Structure formats: C-alpha cells, structure tokens
Amino acid sequence: MRRPMIAGNWKMNTDLASGTELAKGLASHVAGKDSSVDVLVCPPFPYLQAIKEAVGDSGISVGAQNCYFEESGAFTGEVSVDMLQDIGCDWVILGHSERRHVLGECDGTINKKTKAAIEKGLGVVLCVGELLEEREADKTGEVLDTQMKGGLADVSEADLSKIIIAYEPVWAIGTGKTASPEQADEAHAHLRKWLSSNYSESAAEAMRILYGGSVKPSNAEELLGQPNVDGALVGGASLTVDNFGPIIDAGRTK
Ligand code: PEP
C-alpha cells in the first residue's frame, strides 16, 4: 500500500500575510480528519519558517521549491539542504519543469541536488515530464527514461525511499489542460516499469508517483482513482483552501 500524498507548489506566489492565512486555513481544514493522506505545502523561500509555524502540529509538512547541492560557501543567492532542514523543511521539489525550461536546469544539476538532499535525509519530490512536441512526436517514454536515468544516477535502491516522483506533463502545467486519467496512468505505469527494470520490482511497487498538471477539485478524484497515481502535485489550485482542501479530501478516498 502506497500512502497518498497531496503536495502544493505555491511557486512565486503569496506574500507573508496571505501565505500565513492559507497555511492556517489548511491546518483547520485537515484538523479532526483522518490522517490517511500526507499533505505537503511548498511556499517561496522567504516564507518557509512562517508557514512552518502556521501549520503547527496539524501534520502538514513544509517543503522548499529548490535547493543547492553545495553545503555552504560562495554561492550567491543559493540555499543549502542544511539551511532548509535548520528551519524544519522535510521536503524539496527538484527538477520542476519551470526550473528545467525557464531557469535552464539540466539532469546533471538535478541529480547533484537530489543526492545532496537525500544524503542529509531531506525528502525529494523529483519532477519529470515531457513537452507537448515530445508527446506529439511519440517521445514521452524516451524523455521520461532520460530524466529518470539522469536524475537518479548513482542513487541507491535504499535511498529511493526518500524520493517521490512527480509526473508533470509540461503541456498540462498551468495551462488548464489536464492529462486524461488514462494518459496519466499510462505514464505512471511507464515510470514504474523503468524503476522495476533499473532497480527492482519491489522498489517500483513502493515508489509513490504523483500526477501534476492542472489538478483541480473537479478532476482530482478521477485522476487519483487511477491505480498508478499515488497523489498530486498541485500548482494553481493549491493557493486557496477552497480548491486545495477538496483535493486533499480526494486523496483520502485513495
Ligand atoms: C505545478 O506547478 O507543479 C503544477 C502542476 O501547476 P498547475 O497545477 O498550476 O498546473
């Protein structure tokens, strides 16, 4: 049994007041409900500590949207794994498509960051996903294989337990276009097969694979109902309790 996770990627949104209010609203939303779903929120760096405080002992985890692979030193503008753990972060999102395609991150960099995080016990949500032209050219499988191979290079099977994969087709992120439940499940099954071939059947079975790309209350239950979909990574709809709350609740029905 894989425990479902619903994760919110706030991207470069909210301010201190609205982020704190959102976090408190989510803490109230989950209060008193069964804890069969993991909930994670990933605010911008400057608000991590305040959001950690705002979610309190609600059971909601807090994660960052990026980190750097070096421990400390002359790396202007970067944030280390130690710094994130120092303020109570449990997770970091790595390889998000906006980091790959807007900020130019490659698999090699994502791999260094992944290894730096898991070495210290910081959980990684590792994002993979194809562009529209890659899907149209029937290259989805190939792209996913390359990103998995690159992102997980030199990661041991034991360390896979600190990693969650997020399948996020780039054409579905922030566009309102969602992969159909069948398309999502097919890609997730492909990723599981890759894990089985490159690690083991049990590693593939144990891996949580989240779907991301325009998840909203109206489509969450159907997407999460797919056998290989273990949760969701949510962007736009994670910014209000009215939208993210029902998606969390859909995770409980898994
Ligand atoms: C994301 O940022 O990871 C994402 C999936 O965004 P959205 O839900 O807005 O498509």
Side-chain angles (χ1 to χ4, degrees):
M1 268 302 272
R2 297 182 292 267
R3 195 176 154 78
M5 172 182 268
I6 305 297
N9 173 13
W10 294 5
K11 310 193 187 191
M12 201 171 71
N13 292 302
T14 71
D15 56 21
L16 182 58
S18 63
T20 305
E21 194 187 322
L22 172 57
K24 286 186 175 161
L26 292 171
S28 303
H29 182 88
V30 298
K33 299 203 175 129
D34 80 67
S35 55
S36 58
V37 59
D38 287 340
V39 181
L40 168 67
V41 291
C42 300
F45 283 132
Y47 309 137
L48 281 167
Q49 209 168 354
I51 301 307
K52 178 81 189 164
E53 233 176 86
V55 296
D57 59 5
S58 63
I60 297 176
S61 301
V62 175
Q65 300 170 20
N66 186 28
C67 69
Y68 197 55
F69 51 80
E70 296 287 356
E71 280 198 344
S72 62
F75 304 103
T76 302
E78 295 297 335
V79 173
S80 73
V81 172
D82 285 339
M83 290 170 183
L84 295 179
Q85 290 184 309
D86 197 20
I87 55 165
C89 283
D90 299 307
W91 293 93
V92 62
I93 298 172
L94 293 175
H96 190 276
S97 72
E98 286 143 23
R99 300 235 37 110
R100 290 177 189 268
H101 301 295
V102 183
L103 283 310
E105 269 186 33
C106 62
D107 285 318
T109 304
I110 294 162
N111 177 245
K112 283 186 188 172
K113 292 180 175 188
T114 299
K115 287 189 291 193
I118 57 179
E119 193 182 306
K120 304 255 176 173
L122 183 68
V124 171
V125 179
L126 177 63
C127 303
V128 295
E130 81 287 0
L131 299 164
L132 181 60
E133 57 263 38
E134 292 167 336
R135 175 161 281 267
E136 286 174 346
D138 230 4
K139 289 197 166 143
T140 299
E142 203 181 304
V143 170
L144 296 182
D145 292 352
T146 303
Q147 292 175 343
M148 291 289 277
K149 187 170 179 222
L152 293 176
D154 304 319
V155 172
S156 70
E157 180 158 338
D159 279 340
L160 283 186
S161 63
K162 299 171 200 155
I163 296 176
I164 289 178
I165 304 293
Y167 169 62
E168 300 207 302
V170 182
W171 47 272
I173 297 180
T175 58
K177 284 186 200 156
T178 317
S180 69
E182 295 73 27
Q183 283 173 320
D185 198 62
E186 188 186 14
H188 286 220
H190 180 95
L191 291 166
R192 227 177 273 295
K193 193 152 173 263
W194 186 92
L195 288 162
S196 169
S197 308
N198 289 276
Y199 288 92
S200 69
E201 184 65 38
S202 58
E205 270 307 302
M207 178 60 78
R208 290 190 278 180
I209 306 179
L210 314 184
Y211 169 77
S214 299
V215 176
K216 39 191 186 268
S218 58
N219 60 21
E221 211 164 310
E222 207 186 355
L223 286 160
L224 292 166
Q226 300 305 304
N228 284 293
V229 177
D230 306 313
L233 178 55
V234 186
S238 71
L239 293 171
T240 64
V241 179
D242 282 353
N243 283 322
F244 200 52
I247 300 174
I248 296 171
D249 298 338
R252 272 197 201 91
T253 64
K254 260 298 298 169

